[in-house]
Amino acid sequence: QVQLVESGGGLVQPGGSLRLSCAASGSILTIYTMGWYRQAPGKQRELVAAFTVSGRTNYADSVKGRFTISRDNSENTMYLQMNILKPEDTAVYYCNAGGRSTFLVAFDSWGPGTQVIVSS
């Protein structure tokens, strides 16, 4: 079983910064993909930033140039550095990871989310 836990959310003023973390634990053999998603009130969940199987990064157009995704493979941890935050960035941010467990079966796991509120 693979678990993900996000941390680092909170209340920040427009133009400010936050750094989100996602820690993966459990029966992990290999993580192939990891990404950040968000869901604003009344909106559908959307991709924010993600690593592909090949290690390339994808960003939503709305966050390009402001957000940076990174990871520490040795620690099974992923980060999202969010700069120049805007009120429209307000959402619950979720971590997602897909890979293969030590039982040699595929997994696709989600964290419970962390709230980000951008407001003055």
Side-chain angles (χ1 to χ4, degrees), residues 34-54:
M34 292 191 77
W36 290 96
Y37 295 73
R38 68 185 181 188
Q39 187 167 19
K43 303 292 184 180
Q44 297 292 109
R45 187 173 299 186
E46 64 174 346
L47 173 70
V48 178
F51 288 100
T52 68
V53 173
S54 64

Side-chain angles (χ1 to χ4, degrees), residues 63-99:
V63 307
K64 286 181 179 177
R66 299 188 298 120
F67 291 10
T68 302
I69 189 172
S70 61
R71 64 185 177 186
D72 184 343
N73 292 333
S74 65
E75 299 290 336
N76 289 329
T77 303
M78 180 177 62
Y79 306 94
L80 183 67
Q81 180 65 46
M82 305 186 295
N83 298 323
I84 320 176
L85 283 162
K86 304 175 180 179
E88 51 262 44
D89 294 319
T90 296
V92 176
Y93 284 71
Y94 298 91
C95 176
N96 171 255

Side-chain angles (χ1 to χ4, degrees), residues 3-49:
Q3 297 83 38
L4 304 177
V5 179
E6 304 94 342
S7 62
L11 175 64
V12 64
Q13 296 184 15
S17 298
L18 284 174
R19 183 176 174 86
L20 305 183
S21 298
C22 172
S25 62
S27 303
I28 301 170
L29 178 64
T30 307
I31 294 177
Y32 296 132
T33 59
M34 292 191 77
W36 290 96
Y37 295 73
R38 68 185 181 188
Q39 187 167 19
K43 303 292 184 180
Q44 297 292 109
R45 187 173 299 186
E46 64 174 346
L47 173 70
V48 178

